[in-house]
Each structure stands twice: as C-alpha cells, then as structure tokens.
Amino acid sequence: MLSEFDLIKQYFQRRRPGRAVLGIGDDCALLAPAPGRQVAISSDMLVEDRHFFAGADPRMLGHKSLAVNLSDLAAMGARPVAFTLALALPKADPAWLEGFSSGLFALADAFECELIGGDTTKGPLNICITVFGELSPGHALRRDAARAGDDIWISGTLGDARLALAGYWKEQALDPAQHEQAALRMHMPTPRVALGLALAAQPIAHAALDISDGLVGDLGHILAASRVGATLDVDALPAGPVLARQPLALRRRFTAAGGDDYELCFTAPVAQREAVLAAGRESGTAVTRVGRIEAEAGLRLVDADGKALDLGLKGWDHFTTA
Ligand code: ADP
Ligand code: MG
C-alpha cells in the first residue's frame, strides 16, 4: 500500500529541474516573478459527480483539471508559470494515479507550467488546482474593460461539449462515432493560451473571459462588469463540427448557452479587426466576430437577418437585465 509521501514522490514529484526557486518537498514552494511583471492567480475545483462522472478516464481527468485552470490564465492574457494540486482520493490506486498524472503532465509540459506543490488527503475524489501566471501591468484582459462600439469575438467553436452531455443524458440521439468526437471536446478542452497572450500583448483586446457556463451567461458577466449591453448574432456563432450537423434550433441553443466549451469570448475595438485576425492566425486559433458591445444595457439576441430571437434560455434575465 502506497503511503501519502510515496504517492507524492512517485506520481507528482519530478526529478527534472524546474523554473521555480523551490518546488515540491518543503512547507512552501518559492517562485521568483520576473522583475516588473504581475502574478495572475486562479483556482478551479473538479468534484466527482458534479464536474465529471464517477469512473471518468483518469488521463482525461488529469488533462481537464489543468486545462480549465490554464483557460483562466488564457482569458486574462497571462503566461502560465506554475500550479499547485490539492487532491482528495478515496484510495491510492496506482493505475488511476498513473493515468491521472500522465494526462496532467502532458498538458503541463506543453505549456511549460510546473507543478510546485499541493496537498493530498483521503476523501471523496476532488481535484483542486491553483495556477500562477505572469503578465505585464496594464495588459490583463479584464471583464470590466469592454466599451460600447467594441466587436465581440469567439475563439474556436462552441456547443460540442454540451452536445456530448445531451448524448450521455439521452436528450439527443447521436451515433456512437459522433458522440465520441463531441465527448473529446467535453473531456479534453484546449486552453487558448497562445491566443490570450497575443490579444494581451499590444493589447489588442479590451475585455475577455473563458466560456465555461455557456456564452450568454458568461458574456453577461462582461456586460455587468463593464456596465454596457450587447447585440449577439446567434447565427454567426461557430458551432462545433458535430453540432454543425444538428438542426438549427439545437445549434442555436447549444452554441449560445452550451457550457464546458473553454473558448475565449473577448471584445476589441473595430480598429483592431485586422490585428485580431492576425492574432488568430499566429496562435493557430480560429476567431469569429459574433456581435457588438452597445451603451444600451441588456443582451439582445438576433438571427442572421438581424431579427430578435428568444431562445428561452434559462438564467439569461438574471445575467442580462441591468
Ligand atoms: P505540509 O504538511 O507542510 O502541508 P505535506 O506533507 O502536505 O506538507 O506535503 C509535502 C510536500 O508535498 C509539500 O511540499 C506539498 O506542497 C507537496 N504535495 C503534497 N501533495 C501534493 C500533490 N498532490 N501534488 C504536488 N505536491 C504535493
Ligand atoms: Mg499539507
């Protein structure tokens, strides 16, 4: 039977030298931020049966636990530096730990983000990661920075993760190959770090966030913080490849309010359109213009002809009425 310290040593403490002044093993880790830079910090917790199904593939879970945190750094325009991992485990299962840590470190290495500490305890499966990133003062892509006249942009595609959930819940009949493709979007989100960095570099964008709870609700956070409103062209929203083959009503609902997408929603001045497109090309990320920030409060959904659309989305009044 693995002890707590064997477990940490075997699965989470790596022998390679990192960038941290001091990593795993002491009471605290030590980081030395580059001179003149700010530190961006964010935590996300994943709880079994709430954020993922019991018995979820441990490798994908390792990926997703870090991906949702890196996505927050991306949405702020910060460069990933390090993270901590607080883990409650029902038992020390070597096969699970091997899968989880390999999924986690594959993504950590891809973004040069170093595991510098954490906590390990017995309990119902619960994964909490805190990420640390760096950015230049004044360059953070804050939710309160949208301005009337800004374009609204979306990275990548929306709705396939929600479609996968509809498949699991038997809300929607999907053939197995399509379900599997959509489920990859749900279990293996891609944090848009390179795009976030490009948008914050000049900076090109004003406000940004990552879409975790559905675009309409999440965009509502930008509108509230920035004290503005918006018109969103629902038919311009880029649907995921699996959702794109579904009927229009479902496409509209799942792109506008799907959840679990981990794409960026950001606003940028009209004068930056070319720069946004260039940032998308340089970071290898599709970017689509989907609406406009306006002085008038509230979120107006329209179709391709500019006609008002009522999708009857739950929670939307809550987020959008001033
Ligand atoms: P303390 O009792 O001082 O809080 P612990 O005994 O919990 O320290 O942890 C020992 C060392 O292992 C610490 O440096 C801690 O940050 C690290 N650690 C514990 N759990 C994890 C984990 N799941 N992943 C990475 N590092 C961990
Ligand atoms: Mg401890």
Side-chain angles (χ1 to χ4, degrees):
M1 194 66 181
L2 277 170
S3 77
E4 177 188 335
F5 299 102
D6 293 338
L7 182 161
I8 295 165
K9 214 170 178 175
Q10 189 163 341
Y11 295 101
F12 299 113
Q13 193 163 14
R14 303 166 97 195
R15 270 170 283 277
R16 64 174 74 175
R19 275 186 301 167
V21 176
L22 187 63
I24 291 172
D26 213 314
D27 298 309
C28 290
L30 300 175
L31 290 176
R37 300 265 279 172
Q38 288 179 336
V39 182
I41 304 162
S42 181
S43 290
D44 255 312
M45 185 149 62
L46 274 79
V47 176
E48 188 171 67
D49 286 329
R50 178 149 296 270
H51 300 98
F52 58 91
F53 300 123
D57 179 277
R59 186 178 305 264
M60 291 204 237
L61 201 53
H63 173 101
K64 186 165 180 176
S65 303
L66 182 58
V68 300
N69 278 280
L70 292 175
S71 178
D72 284 315
L73 290 182
M76 211 64 180
R79 181 178 297 284
V81 173
F83 68 106
T84 60
L85 169 67
L87 199 56
L89 292 171
K91 59 181 192 300
D93 171 358
W96 190 92
L97 284 159
E98 178 59 42
F100 179 82
S101 60
S102 63
L104 181 83
F105 283 124
L107 191 66
D109 291 346
F111 289 98
E112 296 181 53
C113 194
E114 183 184 352
L115 178 59
I116 55 166
D119 200 19
T120 308
T121 178
K122 192 166 173 165
L125 185 55
N126 189 327
I127 303 151
C128 181
I129 286 180
T130 299
V131 278
F132 302 83
E134 270 188 11
L135 43 70
S136 293
H139 285 238
L141 305 173
R142 296 167 50 135
R143 294 179 181 198
D144 61 4
R147 297 201 207 126
D150 280 0
D151 292 318
I152 302 170
W153 296 81
I154 300 290
S155 71
T157 64
L158 301 173
D160 269 2
R162 179 64 181 82
L163 184 62
L165 194 60
Y168 288 122
W169 284 347
K170 309 269 183 255
E171 244 178 34
Q172 195 63 27
L174 289 173
D175 78 58
Q178 284 190 23
H179 192 202
E180 195 177 325
Q181 191 187 343
L184 267 184
R185 273 307 297 266
M186 180 181 176
H187 301 306
M188 299 283 286
T190 305
R192 303 300 190 186
V193 171
L195 178 64
L197 286 172
L199 294 173
Q202 308 295 331
I204 295 168
H206 281 158
L209 49 62
D210 64 324
I211 305 168
S212 51
D213 299 329
L215 172 60
V216 163
D218 284 334
L219 176 58
H221 298 315
I222 289 183
L223 303 186
S226 301
R227 299 168 186 273
V228 290
T231 293
L232 190 66
D233 178 355
V234 173
D235 291 334
L237 296 175
V242 187
L243 181 59
R245 284 177 258 159
Q246 297 291 326
L248 179 65
L250 196 72
R251 243 163 40 218
R252 284 175 168 164
R253 206 150 55 80
F254 284 1
T255 51
D260 243 8
D261 295 309
Y262 299 100
E263 294 294 353
L264 300 187
C265 171
F266 57 97
T267 82
V270 173
Q272 296 286 358
R273 276 183 192 170
E274 277 310 312
V276 170
L277 293 171
R281 281 193 301 273
E282 283 157 24
S283 61
T285 314
V287 287
T288 309
R289 194 154 48 82
V290 298
R292 181 66 71 96
I293 298 291
E294 292 155 345
E296 186 192 339
L299 177 57
R300 292 158 285 282
L301 304 183
V302 298
D303 67 12
D305 299 323
K307 282 213 295 287
L309 257 184
D310 181 2
L311 296 181
L313 299 173
K314 218 170 90 198
W316 106 291
D317 276 337
H318 177 71
F319 288 115
T320 57
T321 35

